[in-house]
Amino acid sequence: MYASTGDGIARLDESNGAFKVALSLRGSGAQCLAVDPHDPNVVYAGLREGGVRRTSDGGRTWDDCDLPAPAVFSVAVSRADGAVYVGTEPSALFRSDDGGETWRELAALLELPSRPTWSFPPRPWTSHLRWIAASPHDADLLLVGIELGGLMRSVDGGVSWQDHRPGAQRDVHSLAWHPRAEGRAYEAAGGGAAWSGDGGDTWQPADAGRDRHYTWAVAVEPDDPNAWYVSASTGPFAAHGGGDPEAHIYAWRDSEWRTLAGGLPEPLPAMPYALVATDGCLFAGLADGQLWESSDRGESWHACALEGDALTRLNALAHAAA
């Protein structure tokens, strides 16, 4: 796996029951990342003040991709056609079809009628593109989330856009597609969670059984589109203020949420900023650098042993084989 730490990028290699951690891009301000689904050694890192970096050797060396905007908040690589997408603050979306060598802005996004209302509450004069989800089944189908502004959809690779989708939350934090069930998509947002069964065109709220509605991370079981997970807190200050996050990890079971606890600290010491579900394992990355793993869909958990470089924070996780 790879992780962004808010400062750099960590590579985590599992061996003999532990993960060896190797940090790179130290001091870069790397906040987000995406692994090329066709090559686990190719990773793109988004920097809050330095654009995009790319490695083709698993993090040993990095190159500047010369993105024409400095403040990167999201990055994604399409499994369908290999296109690289990057979202920035102020809100803008860029695409590369040659591995980050050249970029073009998908400027039609900024022509949406809702754009004048986009505003990030802590910095109300601006907004950012918080998440990008390229469909693994359709190279032309793309979802993006504006924090705070809405969930937007394109069916032509970003040439044109549909404004905020019916039923979706506007304060988008994370988006995901199901890797095998075509048309199934998922959202975690500031006001709750939602899912779509029609390729992100319309959305259904998914909040029953959950007593916390500030949802952050989302993950879905690869073999079951009805089994998915979110992390949630009572609000933004609890989640990000550095104190008690008042957070839980929830599993969607039988049309409602159920709190996952078995083996996890009670209460959780830090916000679960990242969730990754692979075939057989579920990982949770906490804001304080802890990594937890479940091999039974969240019923029981154990803390992952970490060796090598210290992890003091986990902002995002990406599994190289996901």
Side-chain angles (χ1 to χ4, degrees):
M1 287 190 295
Y2 295 90
S4 63
T5 68
D7 182 54
I9 298 294
R11 174 172 172 153
L12 296 89
D13 289 288
E14 191 172 13
S15 177
N16 297 322
F19 282 96
K20 184 177 181 180
V21 180
L23 285 171
S24 60
L25 278 185
R26 296 172 186 255
S28 65
Q31 298 285 336
C32 55
L33 77 163
V35 182
D36 187 326
H38 303 292
D39 187 343
N41 288 310
V42 174
V43 184
Y44 298 86
L47 282 57
R48 284 289 173 91
E49 297 181 358
V52 174
R53 301 289 189 272
R54 178 184 187 272
T55 179
S56 58
D57 55 15
R60 287 186 289 274
T61 61
W62 295 83
D63 297 317
D64 190 340
C65 291
D66 294 322
L67 184 79
V72 175
F73 273 68
S74 54
V75 60
V77 183
S78 170
R79 183 181 294 272
D81 66 356
V84 183
Y85 295 94
V86 172
T88 65
E89 180 182 285
S91 291
L93 180 63
F94 297 86
R95 172 174 174 152
S96 174
D97 292 300
D98 54 13
E101 294 294 326
T102 60
W103 301 89
R104 58 187 173 94
E105 184 178 357
L106 302 178
L109 179 67
L110 303 185
E111 298 170 3
L112 288 171
S114 67
R115 185 194 176 190
T117 68
W118 301 355
S119 178
F120 180 54
R123 299 187 300 278
W125 58 88
T126 190
S127 67
H128 49 254
L129 204 155
R130 177 70 179 82
W131 203 272
I132 306 164
S135 168
H137 310 286
D138 182 349
D140 290 328
L141 184 54
L142 185 66
L143 303 174
V144 301
I146 305 294
E147 190 178 27
L148 190 156
L151 196 164
M152 319 309 181
R153 178 177 185 255
S154 175
V155 296
D156 54 16
V159 176
S160 64
W161 291 87
Q162 300 165 349
D163 215 328
H164 178 66
R165 306 318 301 144
Q169 291 282 336
R170 289 187 178 273
D171 186 14
V172 183
H173 292 149
S174 303
L175 298 167
W177 291 99
H178 195 274
R180 298 168 190 167
E182 190 167 353
R184 289 293 296 265
Y186 312 83
E187 176 192 20
W195 67 275
S196 171
D198 58 8
D201 189 22
T202 61
W203 293 76
Q204 303 295 322
D207 296 311
R210 199 184 62 246
D211 62 353
R212 286 154 169 76
H213 298 292
Y214 185 82
T215 63
W216 189 261
V218 63
V220 59
E221 287 289 347
D223 64 351
D224 186 354
N226 294 314
W228 54 299
Y229 310 90
V230 296
S231 62
S233 179
T234 55
F237 182 78
H240 313 303
D244 180 1
E246 302 179 45
H248 291 308
I249 300 172
Y250 296 86
W252 183 256
R253 299 289 188 266
D254 300 321
S255 300
E256 68 176 13
W257 294 103
R258 182 165 62 84
T259 304
L260 298 179
L264 288 170
E266 288 283 351
L268 286 170
M271 185 67 189
Y273 275 153
L275 297 173
V276 170
T278 68
D279 286 308
C281 290
L282 174 64
F283 294 94
L286 275 56
D288 63 359
Q290 294 188 54
L291 182 66
W292 288 76
E293 180 181 4
S294 172
S295 58
D296 54 11
R297 302 193 176 213
E299 295 301 316
S300 61
W301 296 79
H302 68 270
C304 296
L306 303 176
E307 301 174 349
D309 294 329
L311 281 178
T312 59
R313 186 176 179 86
L314 280 174
N315 281 1
L317 285 171
H319 195 277

